[in-house]
Amino acid sequence: MSVNQQVTNCEISELKVQFKKYDTFASDNYELTDIFPEARSFGNVSDILKDAPRCLRKVYEYMGNIYISGDINDTGNIEDEIIVVGKVKPFLETKVRNALKRMQ
């Protein structure tokens, strides 16, 4: 195993612990599907919710819950992104699930 792979595995392990403890994590390298491959990505928030702020990135479902990732820096520069993934509040979860049903 290469040094880079060992670092990646360590980072992913730390993010898993953070996610399990707080139901959220922040990373400049990883999305929810990188940490938990069984998570399902529904694509870009802006494709699902037309009125979504541009700082929001992707919609996921993991263990029956809806999560959204977003760039907390929101500078528009991909090199400056810090991605935060978190569970959405019930009112937004309903809105996302309804939008996903309409898309099917």
Side-chain angles (χ1 to χ4, degrees), residues 25-28 30-31 57 69-72 81-85:
F25 71 85
S27 171
D28 56 358
Y30 303 104
E31 291 280 354
R57 297 291 190 252
S69 66
D71 176 14
I72 60 172
E81 282 187 337
I82 297 177
I83 301 298
V84 173
V85 177

Side-chain angles (χ1 to χ4, degrees), residues 49-80:
L49 300 174
K50 302 303 180 197
D51 58 345
R54 72 175 195 164
C55 64
L56 298 180
R57 297 291 190 252
K58 295 189 180 178
V59 174
Y60 304 94
E61 185 176 40
Y62 178 63
M63 296 183 66
N65 297 306
I66 297 291
Y67 293 86
I68 290 183
S69 66
D71 176 14
I72 60 172
N73 273 345
D74 194 26
T75 63
N77 184 352
I78 198 162
E79 293 174 6
D80 293 337

